[in-house]
Amino acid sequence: MKYNPKILLYILMLSSLGINTPLSIIGIISQISEYFNTSIAVSGLYVSSFTFTIAICGLFVPVLFSRYERKRTFISILSVFALSNIVIIFTKSIEIASLFRILSAVFYPAFISIALTVCEEIAPEGEKQDYITKILLGISVGSIIGLPITTGLGTIFGYQIAMSWIFAINFLALLLIIVFFPRIPGRYEDNKISFSSLKTKEFILASLGIVMMPIGASIVYNYMPYFLQTVSHIYTYNLSLFLFTYGLFSIFGTWLGGKLIVLKDKATLIIFQLVCGFVFLGLYFLADYLIPVLILFLIFGILDGMGYNLIQYIETSVLSHNLELANGVFLSILNGGIALGIAIGGFLVDGLGVMSIFTFGFLFLMLAFVLMVYVIFVLKIDLKYS
């Protein structure tokens, strides 16, 4: 069946945006608590259950789905999301809502992983990284632009309306897949792959280096609003406006990361760690000066967006023989690193104060730098564009 790869790309991009919007409910924790009549702590667990589930299931769920025809797989997963969202909108039990939120998260890695794989398969020669970057942009936009929309709807109209918009965009993606997406066969032979490739020295050290990036970035990113409020004294409207601007810079960073990888992959992977680490040091030493702090945070926004591309690129380089597995590992490392960063940052803020997020963020990035130098220049791992 003939198809236009650009049309398929934008359908997958919108679909990736749609299934990432459940992450945006972090902005309505108080409304969740009020709707379900639970504590903030329980509501926080309800919100974070999505990320933790992705981190676990990303390791094996994409490989299990790799054998199946692509359109049927996408329709099945988006149907699970749509039905789960309907239950989540109308149930008054947080236990039932959590169960269906976790259920949809189980299938999330399969959708994103296969979407990335399909993009590599359908992309014209020389445009693979551009296609991958657009899917990563969809993921980024889903959480970054989704956050203010979900927060605004939840604050003004309540929890059910906020969840209804998430259902609507998922349902739109489902309709687009049903109507416009062609049948593309799966890769049955890849499902027989042994997980022994995950035991190689190259994979282990590369993954250790890469996971330090989302941990270090998450320590700083997730406590950035707290720092801006307590140290820089930026509140309410100004804080929301700045965080939205940060999100736009992050989206630009995702696009930029894809371009730089194609041009100079080794240099991008190495210099990224150094620049990000020294931005954290700059924030530590210039914390009392508002304008430099805001500029440095916006630079960090660009780097934060680039991280999506770098993590995905490393994993598909060291696991090039099975793209579903590589993309699943990418999602596990990204979401697991974010979850660990949030936990570590919380202990740091409580025990050592908010300024400690910058020093520990710097340390994690330097560990990533050392490991990246080792795997690239000593182990000489094969990179796709080198």
Side-chain angles (χ1 to χ4, degrees):
M1 179 178 183
K2 291 184 177 181
Y3 52 80
N4 185 326
K6 284 286 185 184
I7 292 176
L8 301 195
L9 169 64
Y10 287 110
I11 291 173
L12 290 176
M13 184 179 176
L14 177 64
S15 301
S16 299
L17 185 157
I19 72 166
N20 218 53
T21 50
L23 290 169
S24 67
I25 69 170
I26 191 171
I28 57 167
I29 285 182
S30 60
Q31 285 76 27
I32 292 169
S33 179
E34 181 181 348
Y35 180 80
F36 289 112
N37 192 27
T38 59
S39 66
I40 293 293
V42 171
S43 299
L45 288 174
Y46 169 67
V47 170
S48 62
S49 63
F50 196 82
T51 305
F52 280 110
T53 304
I54 294 170
I56 295 169
C57 294
L59 292 172
F60 60 90
V61 170
V63 176
L64 298 178
F65 278 83
S66 64
R67 68 166 69 187
Y68 301 115
E69 192 271 318
R70 307 309 199 187
K71 180 173 183 175
R72 186 181 303 170
T73 299
F74 289 147
I75 290 173
S76 300
I77 293 172
L78 289 171
S79 297
V80 169
F81 267 76
L83 292 172
S84 295
N85 282 326
I86 290 173
V87 174
I88 287 169
I89 290 168
F90 292 105
T91 185
K92 293 290 289 187
S93 167
I94 197 167
E95 290 83 7
I96 293 174
S98 297
L99 176 63
F100 279 89
R101 184 165 167 82
I102 290 170
L103 175 64
S104 57
V106 167
F107 297 99
Y108 173 99
F111 187 97
I112 297 296
S113 172
I114 294 172
L116 288 165
T117 301
V118 168
C119 280
E120 291 208 46
E121 293 171 346
I122 67 173
E125 190 65 33
E127 295 185 40
K128 285 188 178 182
Q129 192 61 43
D130 184 54
Y131 273 51
I132 290 169
T133 297
K134 284 187 169 62
I135 299 299
L136 298 177
L137 278 171
I139 297 171
S140 181
V141 171
S143 55
I144 291 169
I145 303 301
L147 178 60
I149 295 174
T150 305
T151 302
L153 290 173
T155 302
I156 298 170
F157 300 107
Y159 168 79
Q160 286 184 304
I161 297 298
M163 299 308 297
S164 295
W165 108 268
I166 291 175
F167 164 78
I169 195 166
N170 276 273
F171 190 68
L172 173 61
L174 174 60
L175 291 178
L176 289 172
I177 293 287
I178 291 172
V179 175
F180 296 108
F181 209 85
R183 294 193 176 277
I184 300 176
R187 293 156 36 135
Y188 181 79
E189 69 279 359
D190 283 351
N191 199 57
K192 300 177 181 178
I193 185 172
S194 168
F195 282 87
S196 60
S197 55
L198 303 184
K199 300 176 183 178
T200 65
K201 184 178 181 180
E202 290 80 6
F203 169 80
I204 292 171
L205 291 177
S207 297
L208 277 175
I210 286 297
V211 80
M212 298 298 169
M213 290 165 49
I215 292 175
S218 183
I219 287 172
V220 175
Y221 170 76
N222 285 284
Y223 297 93
M224 177 174 62
Y226 182 74
F227 168 85
L228 291 172
Q229 289 173 319
T230 57
V231 178
S232 299
H233 306 295
I234 300 176
Y235 305 102
T236 57
Y237 174 77
N238 288 331
L239 179 61
S240 298
L241 180 62
F242 177 76
L243 292 176
F244 182 74
T245 305
Y246 175 96
L248 295 179
F249 273 69
S250 182
I251 292 169
F252 169 73
T254 303
W255 172 84
L256 180 64
K259 298 296 183 183
L260 291 177
I261 282 173
V262 174
L263 291 174
K264 294 285 183 181
D265 53 0
K266 289 181 181 179
T268 302
L269 289 165
I270 297 300
I271 294 172
F272 172 88
Q273 328 293 336
L274 291 175
V275 174
C276 195
F278 283 103
V279 166
F280 291 167
L281 283 186
L283 286 165
Y284 181 87
F285 288 110
L286 298 172
D288 294 329
Y289 303 95
L290 180 60
I291 299 302
V293 161
L294 296 181
I295 292 171
L296 286 169
F297 267 130
L298 292 179
I299 294 172
F300 171 51
I302 295 172
L303 296 168
D304 193 23
M306 287 176 62
Y308 286 86
N309 274 288
L310 302 185
I311 297 170
Q312 195 270 347
Y313 180 69
I314 282 289
E315 294 306 335
T316 52
S317 291
V318 295
L319 295 172
S320 58
H321 54 282
N322 189 281
L323 294 176
E324 284 89 355
L325 178 60
N327 289 318
V329 172
F330 151 65
L331 292 169
S332 289
I333 285 177
L334 177 64
N335 288 279
I338 290 170
L340 284 171
I342 293 171
I344 293 169
F347 284 113
L348 290 172
V349 171
D350 284 343
L352 300 174
V354 70
M355 296 303 296
S356 64
I357 63 175
F358 301 122
T359 52
F360 278 82
F362 172 80
L363 290 175
F364 276 103
L365 266 295
M366 290 306 99
L367 282 172
F369 169 74
V370 171
L371 286 166
M372 282 297 98
V373 169
Y374 184 76
V375 298
I376 291 173
F377 295 108
V378 178
L379 296 183
K380 298 185 185 299
I381 61 171
D382 292 325
L383 296 173
K384 288 191 289 184
Y385 301 122
S386 290

